[in-house]
Amino acid sequence: MSAATEAIVLPDSVDVVEPGRANWSLRVGGVLVGLVVVVALVSFVWTPWDPYLVDGTNRLMGPSSSHWLGTDQFGRDVLSRLMVGARTTLYVGIVAVSLAAVGGIPLGIVMGMAPRWLQTVLVRANDLLLAFPALLLAIMFGAVFGASTTTAMVAIGIATIPVFARITRSGTLQVMSTEYVLAARAGGRSAPAVAVRHVLPNVTSLLLVQASVSFAIAALAEAALSFLGFGTAPPIPSWGRMLNEAYSVLAVSPLQALWPGLAIATAVLGFNLLGDGLRDRLDPRLADAR
Amino acid sequence: MAFQLLTRTATFLATLAVASVLVFAFMTVLPGSPAQVVLGVSASEEAVAQMEADFGLDRPLPEQYWDWVSGLPSGDFGTSYVTGAEIGPQIVDRSLVTLWLVGAGMLVALVIALPLGTLAAVKHRRPSGTVLAGISQVGIAVPSFLAGIILISVFSVTLGWFPAGGWTTPASDPVAFLQGLVLPALALGLVQGSVLSRYVRSTVLNVQREDFIRTARSKGLRSWQAMVHHGLRNAAIPIVTVLGLQLSVLLVGAVVVERVFVIPGLGSLLIDGVRNRDLLLVQGVVMVLVLAILAINWLVDVLYTVLDPRLRATA
C-alpha cells in the first residue's frame, strides 16, 4: 500500500502554479466522495440483492441484467456487496480520523505552546511515533488483540495521531508569532484561552485538509488490512476483503478483482483530490505558493 | 559537519532505544500474559505457568527486556514460543528477500520518475504538468497490492509472460529469480514512480529558474547539458529527502505485496507470526522494520548534510 502511502502523503506545496486545477480538484474530489457517501447511504435502505445471500447455482457469473456486476464465488451479488462495503470504508475512515483528530490536535497545540524544552521532548516523541506506519501498528494490534474492524480502525487512528499533531503544531507556531496573539497574551489572556480562541480557529482549514488526506490513507490501510485478513471479518463486505476473495479466483474470473479495486481507487482518489482542492480553497496563500 | 553528524547519530540511537522499549512493552505488557495469548483463552493455569517458566516470562519485565534487547545487535532475537525455533536466522533470511524486493521496486520507481519528471520539467508546457499530476494522483490511489493483482491478471494469467508468484534465490537460478522479481518490483515501483515523478518535475523546475543554469546556458551549454552538469546535483537534495520517505513507504508496501506474490520475505514472516500468535517473532520483525525506517530517516539526514554545502558551512 502505498497504503502506506499511507503513512506519508507528501506535502504538495513544492509543485508549481497550475491555475484552474484547484477548482477541478475540489469538484472531481467532491463528486467522487459524494458518490461513495451516497452509495453507502442508499445501501442502508436498498441493495439490488441481499449482500449475504449465497446462491450455489449462480457462482462467478459475469455482468447481466439481474446481477449488474455479476456474482462472486459464493453466488453473492457483487454490486450489493460493493454498496455495503462503502459503509465499511466510511465507518473505518470516520472513526480513525476522529480518533486521530481528538488525540492529535490538543497534542499539536501543546507542542506549539509549551516551554521550549517540553516542545523538544514532545516533538522527538512524536517523530518516534511516526516511525510506526498505520499498517504496521494495525498488524501489531491484530497480533495482540485479535483482528477485527475495531482493532484496525483504532490502530489506524492511533498511527495518524502524530500526523495531526505535527500539522497542528506547525499551524500553532505560525499563529503564536502573530501580533494579535501577542496582544491577547499581554492583555492577560491565559494560554488555554489563547489556544481555544485564537489558535484553534486559525488552524481549522489546515486540519480539514489533513482530515481529507488522512481519510484516504485510512481507506487504503483498511483495504490492505482486510486483504491480508486482519481487518473486517467475513462475511461482512469490505472492499479489501472482496479483493482478497477475488484474488483467489483470479485465474478463473479476473473481472472479480476489477470492481473492488475500482471502488478503492475511486474513494482514495476522491479524498485526496478533495484534500488538494480544499487546501487551495481554504488557504489561498498555499495555493499561491504552489 | 562532524559535530552535526554526531548529534544526528546520537539522536538516532536514542530514538532506536526508546522504540525498542515501546515495541517490547506493546508485545509483552499489553497482552497481559504472552503465554496466555499463545495457548489461547481455554488453556489451563498450569499450562500457562509452565510455559511462562520455560520461556522466562515469569521474570521481572526489565530483566526480560534487557535479555531481549541485548541480543539484538548480535542477531539473537530469542526463541519462538510457538515453534521453538531460533528467530534471528529466519529474520536474516527473510530480510534479504525483502531487500531485493524493495531495492528492485525503488529501481523501477527511479527509472520511471527521473527521466519522466525531468522531461516534463524541461518541456514545461502546462499539459505535461497536468498529465503528470493526474498520473501521480492515480498512482497514490492505486495501492501496490492492487497494482500487483492487475499485473498478475494481465502478465501471468492472460499473457503467461511471468510467474504469478513464488521465489527463487538468485544463486540457485538467476533467470527464474529475475523473472519472479519483475512483477512484484513493478507493483511496488510503478505506484511510487508515478508519485515521485511529480516531485522530480517540481524540483527540476525550481532548479531551472536558478541563476547558475542561466549562466551555464550563456556559456553555450544546451538546455539538457546545463541540467545534467549543474541542475541535477542541486535537484538531488530535495529528491533524496522524498526518496527516503518513499523507501519507508516501499518497505511497508512490500509487506502486502509479498502476500500477493507469495514471496517469503519479512512481510510474510510477520503475517504468519500474527496468524500463529507467535508474539516474540512478531516483536522481532516489527523491531527490524522500525529500525529500517529510523535508519532510513537518519541516512537521509546525513546525506542531506553531505550533499548540501550550505548546511556544512553552518555546522
Side-chain angles (χ1 to χ4, degrees), chain B residues 152-181:
Chain B
I152 291 180
S153 166
V154 174
F155 292 103
S156 303
V157 177
T158 312
L159 297 172
W161 290 357
F162 298 102
W167 184 258
T168 319
T169 56
S172 63
D173 187 347
V175 176
F177 162 74
L178 284 176
Q179 276 180 333
L181 192 60

Side-chain angles (χ1 to χ4, degrees), chain A residues 84-137:
Chain A
V84 178
R87 277 192 235 162
T88 310
T89 300
L90 290 179
Y91 175 50
V92 170
I94 289 170
V95 173
V97 172
S98 307
L99 192 66
V102 167
I105 295 171
L107 183 63
I109 292 180
V110 171
M111 271 163 59
M113 294 179 69
R116 189 154 283 261
W117 67 269
L118 188 57
Q119 284 193 26
T120 313
V121 172
L122 289 175
V123 168
R124 288 261 177 260
N126 202 57
D127 283 351
L128 171 66
L129 292 179
L130 281 171
F132 290 85
L135 190 76
L136 196 57
L137 200 64

Side-chain angles (χ1 to χ4, degrees), chain B residues 136-255:
Chain B
S136 95
Q137 280 290 2
V138 173
I140 300 176
V142 175
S144 46
F145 63 95
L146 177 55
I149 292 176
I150 297 171
L151 287 170
I152 291 180
S153 166
V154 174
F155 292 103
S156 303
V157 177
T158 312
L159 297 172
W161 290 357
F162 298 102
W167 184 258
T168 319
T169 56
S172 63
D173 187 347
V175 176
F177 162 74
L178 284 176
Q179 276 180 333
L181 192 60
V182 170
L183 291 187
L186 280 177
L188 276 173
L190 281 178
V191 173
Q192 294 301 322
S194 62
V195 179
L196 191 62
S197 58
R198 198 170 162 199
Y199 285 92
V200 174
R201 175 178 173 272
S202 345
T203 313
V204 174
L205 263 182
N206 284 336
V207 169
Q208 239 177 348
R209 300 195 187 105
E210 297 280 353
D211 290 341
F212 57 79
I213 292 288
R214 201 183 317 143
T215 311
R217 293 276 282 139
S218 68
K219 283 192 310 186
L221 290 189
R222 287 176 186 281
S223 167
W224 65 268
Q225 286 172 320
M227 189 42 74
V228 170
H229 292 304
H230 302 279
L232 288 183
R233 187 187 158 92
N234 280 281
I237 296 159
I239 291 176
V240 161
T241 313
V242 176
L243 267 185
L245 293 174
Q246 290 214 317
L247 208 52
S248 310
V249 175
L250 273 181
L251 198 62
V252 179
V255 171

Side-chain angles (χ1 to χ4, degrees), chain A residues 1-12 14-19 21 25 124 127-133 135-137 139-147 220 223-225 227-230 240 243-244 247 250-252 254 257 260-262 264-266 268-269 272-273 276 290, chain B residues 11 15-16 18-19 22-23 26-27 30-31 37 126 129-130 133 137-146 149 152-153 157 164 191-192 195 198-199 201-203 205-206 209 242 245-246 248-249 252-253 255-257 259-262 270-271 274-275 277 279 282 286 289-290 293-294 297:
Chain A
M1 96 178 173
S2 334
T5 317
E6 134 98 13
I8 305 146
V9 162
L10 302 153
D12 221 17
V14 288
D15 217 332
V16 288
V17 187
E18 286 163 10
R21 202 178 74 82
S25 296
R124 288 261 177 260
D127 283 351
L128 171 66
L129 292 179
L130 281 171
F132 290 85
L135 190 76
L136 196 57
L137 200 64
I139 291 176
M140 289 167 73
F141 265 70
V144 172
F145 301 110
L220 272 177
L225 284 168
F227 178 78
L228 291 174
F230 293 132
L243 203 54
N244 177 314
Y247 172 67
L250 199 61
V252 194
L262 266 181
I264 294 168
T266 303
V268 176
L269 186 64
N272 272 332
L273 284 177
D276 267 11
R290 280 150 51 82
Chain B
T11 313
T15 316
L16 195 59
V18 179
L22 279 183
V23 172
F26 194 94
M27 303 303 298
L30 268 191
V37 174
R126 202 162 284 147
T130 314
Q137 280 290 2
V138 173
I140 300 176
V142 175
S144 46
F145 63 95
L146 177 55
I149 292 176
I152 291 180
S153 166
V157 177
V191 173
Q192 294 301 322
V195 179
R198 198 170 162 199
Y199 285 92
R201 175 178 173 272
S202 345
T203 313
L205 263 182
N206 284 336
R209 300 195 187 105
V242 176
L245 293 174
Q246 290 214 317
S248 310
V249 175
V252 179
V255 171
V256 198
V257 166
R259 208 61 187 173
V260 176
F261 288 95
V262 203
L270 177 66
I271 287 156
V274 176
R275 291 252 160 79
R277 312 218 133 198
L279 289 185
V282 174
V286 167
L289 289 173
V290 170
I293 292 172
L294 289 174
N297 293 346

Side-chain angles (χ1 to χ4, degrees), chain A:
Chain A
M1 96 178 173
S2 334
T5 317
E6 134 98 13
I8 305 146
V9 162
L10 302 153
D12 221 17
S13 53
V14 288
D15 217 332
V16 288
V17 187
E18 286 163 10
R21 202 178 74 82
N23 282 335
W24 279 110
S25 296
L26 194 62
R27 278 180 215 161
V28 176
V31 167
L32 294 181
V33 170
L35 185 73
V36 176
V37 172
V38 167
V39 165
L41 288 178
V42 168
S43 79
F44 279 105
V45 289
W46 177 82
T47 51
W49 293 78
D50 174 357
Y52 299 101
L53 182 70
V54 173
D55 179 359
T57 56
N58 275 323
R59 299 191 303 136
L60 292 175
M61 301 272 283
S64 66
S65 56
S66 59
H67 296 279
W68 293 350
L69 301 183
T71 58
D72 67 8
Q73 64 263 51
F74 301 105
R76 298 174 299 194
D77 183 55
V78 170
L79 177 60
S80 305
R81 293 184 65 76
L82 270 188
M83 290 175 71
V84 178
R87 277 192 235 162
T88 310
T89 300
L90 290 179
Y91 175 50
V92 170
I94 289 170
V95 173
V97 172
S98 307
L99 192 66
V102 167
I105 295 171
L107 183 63
I109 292 180
V110 171
M111 271 163 59
M113 294 179 69
R116 189 154 283 261
W117 67 269
L118 188 57
Q119 284 193 26
T120 313
V121 172
L122 289 175
V123 168
R124 288 261 177 260
N126 202 57
D127 283 351
L128 171 66
L129 292 179
L130 281 171
F132 290 85
L135 190 76
L136 196 57
L137 200 64
I139 291 176
M140 289 167 73
F141 265 70
V144 172
F145 301 110
S148 71
T149 311
T150 310
T151 49
M153 61 195 181
V154 169
I156 297 169
I158 291 176
T160 316
I161 286 177
V163 181
F164 268 84
R166 190 164 64 166
I167 200 109
T168 308
R169 173 172 189 260
S170 73
T172 304
L173 286 178
Q174 265 179 10
V175 176
M176 291 304 285
S177 64
T178 55
E179 286 179 356
Y180 58 82
V181 166
L182 197 66
R185 300 203 80 163
R189 215 174 264 282
S190 66
V194 170
V196 173
R197 292 191 59 123
H198 297 293
V199 175
L200 208 49
N202 280 297
V203 296
T204 309
S205 56
L206 264 182
L207 294 174
L208 266 179
V209 173
Q210 188 55 50
S212 189
V213 173
S214 295
F215 212 110
I217 298 169
L220 272 177
E222 193 279 329
L225 284 168
S226 295
F227 178 78
L228 291 174
F230 293 132
T232 308
I236 300 169
S238 119
W239 294 341
R241 161 75 52 187
M242 288 176 75
L243 203 54
N244 177 314
E245 288 164 357
Y247 172 67
S248 61
V249 293
L250 199 61
V252 194
S253 174
L255 209 58
Q256 289 286 324
L258 181 68
W259 309 120
L262 266 181
I264 294 168
T266 303
V268 176
L269 186 64
F271 280 105
N272 272 332
L273 284 177
L274 190 66
D276 267 11
L278 278 176
R279 170 174 35 224
D280 295 347
R281 171 63 69 87
L282 296 175
D283 197 341
R285 283 166 305 172
L286 280 178
D288 287 344
R290 280 150 51 82

